[in-house]
Amino acid sequence: MEKRQVGQKNSFDFQKALIIPRNVLIKQCTKNEIINNLFITDIGYYRKALNHYIKRNNGAEQHILIYCVEGKGNVEFHDTNYHAEAGNFIIIPKETAHTYQANPMLPWTIYWFHFSGTGADQLVASLQNYKAYAGFSEERNILFETIYNRLERGFSRENIIYANLCFHQYIAEVVYTDKYLINDKIMEPDKVEELIDFMRKNIEKMLSLKEMALAVYLSPSYLSAIFKKKTGTSPIDYFNQLKIQKTTQYLLFTNLRINEIAQKIGIKDPYYFSRLFSSIMGISPKQYRDNRFN
């Protein structure tokens, strides 16, 4: 059962919404291998949405993204009440009973999407937090307008693909923000990203795990755990990948000898350097340079 209240007449200063017809979704989205892993089913924007209230006892068929850019609101699901204010986004998993409403004193302004697909399921399942801080971005708002305007021109194959490829960028910029919120407080900067910045600035050095951990004020064991969880690899292996990435640039754009390049990324043993490069890139440094213009 769904209970919906979207305000009395003129209670929204500005609103717009598009619901893509089911037959279009089947034909243009679920059967389209370019976008069928993650695609929009509904899209909208509500400005100062006084009296905005939605209750779905059985949830929605799709995942829901609500991005608040002004005012306040509340979203409740999984026995948790998420307080949303400017800069927050909240994702509600599909088929999850939920209620959400605008704050009566400071009604929210929100961009929202319903989205579906197997990739969407995996994305939502991977989230550590359903609520996070995405900040503000004029480019992101322009991207929303691009998506909306394209769909407003009709549901041709070209429009559907274009809009959904833009949505992939939009949701990536929102979901993969580095400032997550817990209990409405911004956590300290992402330690993994902080360490990656440290690695890049010290690419000419050979850093131990202990030195990396000291740089971000964490224990080596805890750093290894959170780093692998986020990147899928260990800090040392990631650092080596960055070194080889830098090596490829030297090979492509300079005439430095290979042993000189090795020293520039902190590796004194040319044989170890060659083995490391080959294990990551699949070919030797010399072969890579010889093929650079092929």
Side-chain angles (χ1 to χ4, degrees):
M1 179 179 178
E2 177 176 326
K3 184 176 181 182
R4 177 186 296 266
Q5 182 179 340
V6 291
Q8 301 170 354
K9 186 177 181 180
N10 297 326
S11 61
F12 285 11
D13 292 335
F14 182 76
Q15 61 174 309
K16 53 185 175 182
L18 284 173
I19 300 173
I20 301 174
R22 182 175 294 271
N23 66 328
V24 173
L25 293 174
I26 294 172
K27 183 178 180 180
Q28 303 282 24
C29 296
T30 61
K31 295 183 178 180
N32 188 321
E33 293 185 356
I34 299 174
I35 59 171
N36 63 5
N37 66 321
L38 192 155
F39 56 88
I40 302 164
T41 64
D42 310 74
I43 178 175
Y45 169 80
Y46 296 157
R47 181 171 180 265
K48 296 182 179 179
L50 183 63
N51 297 325
H52 184 206
Y53 175 83
I54 300 289
K55 181 176 182 180
R56 298 185 179 96
N57 291 333
N58 298 316
E61 294 182 8
Q62 313 85 18
H63 307 289
I64 301 172
L65 166 64
I66 299 174
Y67 172 44
C68 178
V69 294
E70 185 181 10
K72 298 180 180 181
N74 286 284
V75 181
E76 186 173 352
F77 62 95
H78 287 170
D79 297 321
T80 301
N81 185 30
Y82 296 91
H83 175 69
E85 55 187 26
N88 291 156
F89 80 81
I90 295 176
I91 289 183
I92 306 171
K94 70 178 185 180
E95 299 173 354
T96 300
H98 61 265
T99 302
Y100 54 85
Q101 59 186 331
N103 182 288
M105 301 302 294
L106 292 170
W108 61 13
T109 295
I110 57 173
Y111 294 92
W112 57 267
F113 295 89
H114 288 219
F115 61 101
S116 191
T118 54
D121 296 342
Q122 294 173 9
L123 174 67
V124 174
S126 71
L127 294 176
Q128 296 181 356
N129 300 292
Y130 292 116
K131 170 188 171 182
Y133 182 77
F136 304 93
S137 167
E138 184 60 29
E139 291 79 9
R140 189 185 301 143
N141 296 342
I142 293 172
L143 187 57
F144 175 91
E145 294 297 330
T146 299
I147 296 168
Y148 189 91
N149 292 340
R150 195 72 181 222
L151 292 174
E152 197 173 36
R153 293 181 63 82
F155 304 126
S156 68
R157 182 177 185 275
E158 291 78 9
N159 287 344
I160 289 289
I161 292 175
Y162 186 97
N164 279 288
L165 290 179
C166 289
F167 178 61
H168 284 209
Q169 178 185 349
Y170 185 96
I171 199 167
E173 290 187 0
V174 172
V175 171
Y176 291 106
T177 180
D178 291 327
K179 296 178 179 178
Y180 286 93
L181 292 184
I182 294 180
N183 298 326
D184 298 330
K185 293 182 179 178
I186 299 179
M187 295 175 64
E188 58 187 302
D190 187 309
K191 292 294 186 179
V192 172
E193 295 298 326
E194 186 178 335
L195 178 58
I196 291 171
D197 287 339
F198 178 76
M199 291 175 179
R200 295 179 64 206
K201 291 175 182 176
N202 292 275
I203 203 74
E204 78 287 354
K205 299 178 182 178
M206 292 294 288
L207 298 173
S208 67
L209 178 60
K210 183 177 180 180
E211 289 172 321
M212 293 180 185
L214 285 172
V216 293
Y217 305 102
L218 295 176
S219 70
S221 59
Y222 182 64
L223 172 63
S224 293
I226 64 170
F227 197 95
K228 188 166 187 178
K229 184 174 183 180
K230 180 166 184 177
T231 67
T233 189
S234 70
I236 295 296
D237 286 345
Y238 198 96
F239 190 37
N240 284 335
Q241 291 172 11
L242 290 179
K243 285 178 177 293
I244 298 308
Q245 181 187 84
K246 189 68 174 179
T247 296
T248 62
Q249 295 170 4
Y250 282 126
L251 290 170
L252 288 173
F253 305 121
T254 77
N255 292 317
L256 291 172
R257 294 195 298 265
I258 289 175
N259 65 328
E260 292 175 326
I261 295 173
Q263 293 181 26
K264 279 190 169 293
I265 63 165
I267 299 178
K268 296 181 179 180
D269 184 343
Y271 297 104
Y272 170 71
F273 167 72
S274 183
R275 290 196 304 272
L276 178 64
F277 187 95
S278 297
S279 69
I280 292 176
M281 299 303 297
I283 58 176
S284 71
K286 184 178 184 305
Q287 289 173 315
Y288 189 92
R289 171 169 272 172
D290 290 344
N291 294 333
R292 60 181 169 177
F293 298 121
N294 291 351

